[in-house]
Amino acid sequence: MINKKTKRTFSFVMSATLALSLAACGNANNKEDAEATKAPASTNDTAAATKAPSEEKVTITFQNIYPDPAAPSTQMLKALVEEYTAAHPNVTIELDTLNTDQQKVKLKTQAASKEVPDITIVNPAAQMKPFVDAGLFAPLNDMLDQNGLKDTYQEGLLDYYSFDNNVYALPDGNNIEVVYYNKELFKQAGIEKTPTTFDEMLADVKILKEKGITPLAIGEKDSWTGSFLFMNILLRTNGGPGFLQDVMDGKKTFEDPAFIEAVDAFQQLVQAGAFPDGATSIDATAGGNIFKTGKAAMWVIGSWETGAVDASSVGGKVGAFQFPTVNGKGNPNEFMLAPGSGFAISANSEHLDATKEFLNFFTLNLPKKQFELKNAVGLGQKVDGDLKAAGYSDLAIEVAELFNNVKGGDLAFDNTMNPATAQVHLSSIQNLFVQKVDAAQVAKEHQTAFEANK
Amino acid sequence: MMKVLKVPARTIAVFVLPCLLLYVCLVFVPIVVSIYTGLLKWDGLTPSNFIGLGNFKDMFFNDPIFWPSVRRTLLYAVASMLEIPLCLLMAILLNRYLRKANTLVSIYFTPVILSVVIIGQLWKTIYNPASMGGMLNGVLTSLGLESWTHNWLTEPNIAMFALYFVSLWQYFGYHLLIQFTGVQNIPDELYEAAKIDGADGFKADRYITLPLIVPIFKISIVLAFIGSLQAFDLVMVMTGGGPAHATDVISTHMYNSSFLSFKYGYGSAIATFLVAVCLVFTGFINFFFNKLEKKYN
């Protein structure tokens, strides 16, 4: 028999459990209630903020893709945020710092539940279109007109971020894809001049490989890197820009000879052993470090890396050249264009005006700060000052000269095509790194995906 | 005694309710919602279209990635389940021949405590090509087995097995602990009685340990099975499903479809499939073990 005391204890424990679990439920509900009431209240807050902006406490979440503390962009971000918060003690800026691929996924997850951070980063054109279509971003036209911000941007740059005459994001730069090369390693391998044709490049790759030097650095676990390189080849074999646009307009298909030729050329690079062993398990940052630590001779990447290359251990030994012509086709002065990543503001931001005010300050001062930090190559905004006089490296000046030669080009695949087709493309290119595939098969795979996801 | 514990149904309902509510909110509702979104053509952002079973049709007949990823997942599940008998054997041996096996069991358990991200990074470095200082290839080369070296994570035919191995390695200690506890809980008197009757060593295991361990064994099997169906983190950290989908499992394929290809509806359809597979197989495992338990009792 269980005695009375045990019985009482038993029931006490049970009811305590019940009470606790109810309390847990209650908490959850309270929180929801609090959030529910917060939403309408905050609209009042913003109204108040326009009247007395310096008094209300404001927290702005700033999602960004500058994780590397050694990179000048990160220092620029931190410095500008500090400057702004010092002048506006009521504003707190919370940095949500991620690397590029993580940020893309996080933003998509947040967007699905309509919880976009106050400021976030998006890629131009096709990649930001779904967000704009879903009405997640606030138009920035009014804010661009303040303090003459609009006039600081290079002509046409904002077009990549505009839909229906509204600008939805402000680019952090305007870059081209170049081939960085390590002069010391080239010398060590006895290569005297940089390649101007694809065949020369292949020959150099073989020489470097023989000397035990990784010819081309890449981090193909993040599959955009391989695609970005591949698109250079396509830009050449197509004899100029616009291949993807032609496919979308129905004027060409992926089974076009230009595309097949590009796949074949790319496979030649892979077969020649141009890339590091196990490239598909190396992430983009680690891939870049292969070059920045002097273990690889070349790196095909956007000019945004100029500052970081200069700041790395190979700084001073690096030059840059245009991607060579392929089979005599293409113009070396046509580049893969990367019109930056853009800062966008959430349409549902609790402090829309305060956020706009901060972003206005931030983007106005960004070029100046980048210039000071020796990171002015690939800026999307006009900046006063002479690179040479400001003590910029030879590499920076060389890249800046390449900019002067730009005669148009293409955007990256995933900035042009819809996300579903882009994913098929990315893994299809990744596959070329690990096995030899019939180029016609690759082309067919692209075409099938394109038609299925039109 | 029975009288005291006999509680009116209403009281039971009151006590069960909080947990039931939580369960329904956190598990049941999301499942139903994702079954519904599986019927939509939806990018997760803009308004959706109802397309009935279109996603499922695509999934079963048109998606070249789907079936291979199902095959990999099931193979993974089978491998994890095959590991359990090995754990049981180890547990029996540990229990019989070591007086204080607890320390050893704790050591085997260590990888389970580590976060999967750490395990993934650790093994990624071990698997690296020799040119990047990979330990495994380094050891093979120094043993003169150069022909055995591989790019473990980037050769499409090998990468998946390299992942299986890491996962089996990590969870070995987990299942060992479960089995070990189970074996320890079998009363010594039974073995002593068996010894008098002439059953010793493996004969005693056959007639005493195995029948009594069946419920514990079942727990491990179900945990291993469900765990491997949901395998995601390790794959994401080590290969991200690559090269070119060669290591995609159901859950990573679902994730890529929903978040990278912007096909939420399609991703939900895959999720629905995953739930269905989990339910069917868990039911099957339960049915099988119930038979087994009946047979022994």
Side-chain angles (χ1 to χ4, degrees):
Chain A
M1 258 327 250
I2 291 174
N3 63 31
K4 245 193 179 141
K5 200 179 162 198
T6 325
K7 193 180 162 192
R8 215 185 302 142
T9 324
F10 178 71
S11 63
F12 173 75
V13 170
M14 287 305 267
S15 37
T17 322
L18 176 64
L20 272 178
S21 45
L22 282 180
C25 286
N27 277 341
N29 288 340
N30 285 342
K31 203 176 157 203
E32 263 169 37
D33 287 351
E35 261 162 5
T37 46
K38 216 160 88 187
S42 61
T43 22
N44 295 337
D45 286 354
T46 20
T50 39
K51 278 173 211 150
S54 57
E55 272 158 39
E56 190 218 353
K57 284 243 177 274
V58 171
T59 303
I60 298 172
T61 317
F62 189 170
Q63 193 171 65
N64 66 86
I65 46 171
Y66 307 118
D68 180 1
S73 305
T74 314
Q75 292 162 13
M76 171 276 297
L77 173 73
K78 294 230 166 96
L80 285 181
V81 165
E82 254 166 49
E83 215 170 286
Y84 189 80
T85 44
H88 301 78
N90 62 315
V91 178
T92 315
I93 295 180
E94 251 175 43
L95 294 180
D96 179 15
T97 306
L98 302 148
N99 70 31
T100 315
D101 275 18
Q102 286 169 345
Q103 186 267 341
K104 275 190 197 170
V105 171
K106 182 162 181 186
L107 179 62
K108 276 173 201 169
T109 322
Q110 288 171 322
S113 53
K114 313 264 181 230
E115 283 168 2
V116 178
D118 298 313
I119 303 180
T120 186
I121 285 203
V122 283
N123 281 328
Q127 283 202 55
M128 71 182 284
K129 191 166 183 294
F131 296 100
V132 174
D133 287 348
L136 292 167
F137 293 151
L140 303 174
N141 302 17
D142 52 342
M143 173 269 224
L144 268 166
D145 290 334
Q146 284 164 17
N147 306 324
L149 180 60
K150 190 167 191 173
D151 297 328
T152 66
Y153 286 97
Q154 289 165 10
E155 210 171 307
L157 182 59
L158 291 174
D159 293 349
Y160 295 115
Y161 294 91
S162 304
F163 298 84
D164 296 330
N165 295 322
N166 283 325
V167 180
Y168 285 97
L170 305 177
D172 64 347
N174 184 22
N175 287 284
I176 53 175
E177 194 176 16
V178 299
V179 188
Y180 292 102
Y181 72 106
N182 186 320
K183 290 176 185 167
E184 223 173 61
L185 291 180
F186 263 51
K187 212 169 169 186
Q188 208 176 307
I191 302 168
E192 276 165 16
K193 66 179 208 45
T194 55
T196 55
T197 68
F198 193 69
D199 289 332
E200 282 175 27
M201 194 177 192
L202 271 179
D204 291 347
V205 161
K206 284 172 192 155
I207 296 170
L208 288 161
K209 184 84 188 164
E210 261 170 42
K211 298 268 174 188
I213 302 165
T214 305
L216 276 160
I218 202 162
E220 178 61 12
K221 188 181 177 219
D222 297 327
S223 47
W224 62 267
T225 52
S227 161
F228 203 30
L229 198 168
F230 167 80
M231 290 302 291
N232 274 300
I233 305 180
L234 182 61
L235 178 63
R236 299 282 180 265
T237 56
N238 190 47
F243 180 83
L244 293 181
Q245 194 56 51
D246 285 349
V247 171
M248 285 196 291
D249 295 344
K251 288 182 206 149
K252 279 182 185 165
T253 70
F254 279 105
E255 289 168 276
D256 191 88
F259 190 81
I260 291 184
E261 195 181 347
V263 174
D264 278 331
F266 188 79
Q267 299 218 60
Q268 281 179 320
L269 267 185
V270 176
Q271 300 303 323
F275 301 106
D277 284 342
T280 57
S281 68
I282 305 172
D283 61 60
T285 318
N289 282 336
I290 300 178
F291 181 81
K292 289 182 199 162
T293 52
K295 290 191 189 110
M298 291 181 272
W299 187 23
V300 187
I301 198 81
S303 51
W304 62 77
E305 290 284 353
T306 306
V309 167
D310 270 334
S312 75
S313 66
V314 292
K317 303 173 196 165
V318 176
F321 59 89
Q322 293 121 306
F323 198 86
T325 57
V326 179
N327 304 334
K329 289 181 194 150
N331 178 351
N333 287 333
E334 286 163 353
F335 288 84
M336 285 305 295
L337 307 175
S341 300
F343 302 105
I345 294 183
S346 165
N348 304 321
S349 168
E350 277 181 35
H351 310 286
L352 196 56
D353 291 313
T355 310
K356 278 184 180 173
E357 197 186 319
F358 165 70
L359 192 61
N360 186 281
F361 165 86
F362 183 81
T363 41
L364 260 181
N365 290 284
L366 181 142
K368 218 168 61 199
K369 204 52 144 196
Q370 292 279 45
F371 191 84
E372 284 168 28
L373 288 162
K374 302 253 170 0
N375 202 27
V377 174
L379 275 183
Q381 290 154 280
K382 292 160 199 151
V383 62
D384 295 326
D386 178 52
L387 292 183
K388 192 120 198 167
Y392 269 79
S393 71
D394 291 345
L395 174 66
I397 293 164
E398 212 175 331
V399 173
E401 271 161 20
L402 289 180
F403 266 96
N404 294 335
N405 296 336
V406 175
K407 298 267 183 298
D410 269 333
L411 292 190
F413 195 106
D414 50 359
N415 284 338
T416 317
M417 285 273 175
N418 64 51
T421 312
Q423 284 309 312
V424 173
H425 159 76
L426 291 174
S427 74
S428 180
I429 296 296
Q430 195 185 42
N431 192 29
L432 300 181
F433 279 83
V434 293
Q435 54 195 334
K436 194 152 172 35
V437 189
D438 182 17
Q441 189 58 42
V442 177
K444 192 156 179 255
E445 202 178 347
H446 277 77
Q447 187 61 24
T448 314
F450 171 69
E451 274 160 21
N453 294 302
K454 231 188 279 198
Chain B
M1 173 130 179
M2 286 312 291
K3 218 174 178 182
V4 176
L5 287 177
K6 201 168 180 190
V7 192
R10 212 184 51 204
T11 319
I12 294 179
V14 169
F15 280 110
V16 163
L17 198 63
C19 276
L20 186 71
L21 273 181
L22 268 184
Y23 181 78
V24 167
C25 293
L26 297 178
V27 180
F28 197 67
V29 170
I31 289 180
V32 172
V33 170
S34 82
I35 291 176
Y36 172 69
T37 39
L39 304 175
L40 306 175
K41 184 176 168 63
W42 186 36
D43 64 3
L45 299 171
T46 43
S48 54
N49 281 334
F50 187 84
I51 52 164
L53 294 176
N55 283 328
F56 290 91
K57 210 177 115 203
D58 268 355
M59 182 165 89
F60 289 134
F61 301 110
N62 294 329
D63 184 348
I65 306 162
F66 178 70
W67 286 115
S69 67
V70 170
R71 201 193 63 221
R72 274 178 223 118
T73 310
L74 291 182
L75 193 62
Y76 185 19
V78 170
S80 321
M81 290 194 288
L82 288 181
E83 185 188 38
I84 313 292
L86 203 68
C87 293
L88 177 60
L89 182 69
M90 278 284 281
I92 291 172
L93 293 178
L94 283 175
N95 197 48
R96 179 164 310 147
Y97 295 109
L98 293 180
R99 193 160 297 163
K100 283 227 179 267
N102 292 8
T103 332
L104 211 51
V105 173
S106 308
I107 293 174
Y108 287 138
F109 194 73
T110 338
V112 185
I113 313 170
L114 293 179
S115 131
V116 177
V117 179
I118 296 174
I119 299 274
Q121 292 295 347
L122 176 77
W123 277 91
K124 234 175 111 170
T125 6
I126 294 179
Y127 281 145
N128 260 343
S131 61
M132 294 176 68
M135 191 180 91
L136 180 57
N137 285 331
V139 169
L140 285 175
T141 312
S142 63
L143 288 176
L145 294 170
E146 214 150 305
S147 57
W148 290 18
T149 59
H150 285 282
N151 282 333
W152 301 101
L153 289 178
T154 58
E155 287 177 31
N157 300 329
I158 296 176
M160 199 62 222
F161 293 96
L163 288 184
Y164 289 153
F165 181 79
V166 176
S167 186
L168 294 185
W169 172 82
Q170 184 183 9
Y171 285 106
F172 184 81
Y174 182 65
H175 294 298
L176 179 69
L177 180 74
I178 296 179
Q179 302 305 316
F180 182 74
T181 322
V183 173
Q184 263 191 333
N185 281 344
I186 299 173
D188 282 340
E189 293 85 41
L190 292 179
Y191 290 104
E192 281 162 21
K195 206 167 179 181
I196 294 169
D197 289 341
D200 208 354
F202 284 106
K203 205 162 185 190
D205 288 333
R206 162 80 180 79
Y207 291 103
I208 297 169
T209 319
L210 287 190
L212 288 174
I213 203 84
V214 168
I216 309 290
F217 198 73
K218 182 177 104 179
I219 292 174
S220 262
I221 290 277
V222 172
L223 285 177
F225 181 78
I226 305 235
S228 48
L229 281 194
Q230 296 167 343
F232 175 77
D233 32 14
L234 191 72
V235 179
M236 246 18 214
V237 171
M238 292 187 69
T239 63
H245 302 297
T247 56
D248 255 339
V249 289
I250 300 181
S251 56
T252 56
H253 183 39
M254 168 181 92
Y255 171 86
N256 288 339
S257 303
S258 322
F259 291 105
L260 298 182
S261 302
F262 270 105
K263 295 202 261 186
Y264 261 69
Y266 189 67
S268 300
I270 301 177
T272 308
F273 176 82
L274 191 58
V275 170
V277 172
C278 276
L279 284 179
V280 168
F281 276 86
T282 314
F284 178 75
I285 292 173
N286 268 320
F287 173 78
F288 175 76
F289 275 95
N290 282 343
K291 285 242 148 150
L292 207 65
E293 273 172 70
K294 262 193 200 129
K295 190 181 146 199
Y296 278 119
N297 294 336

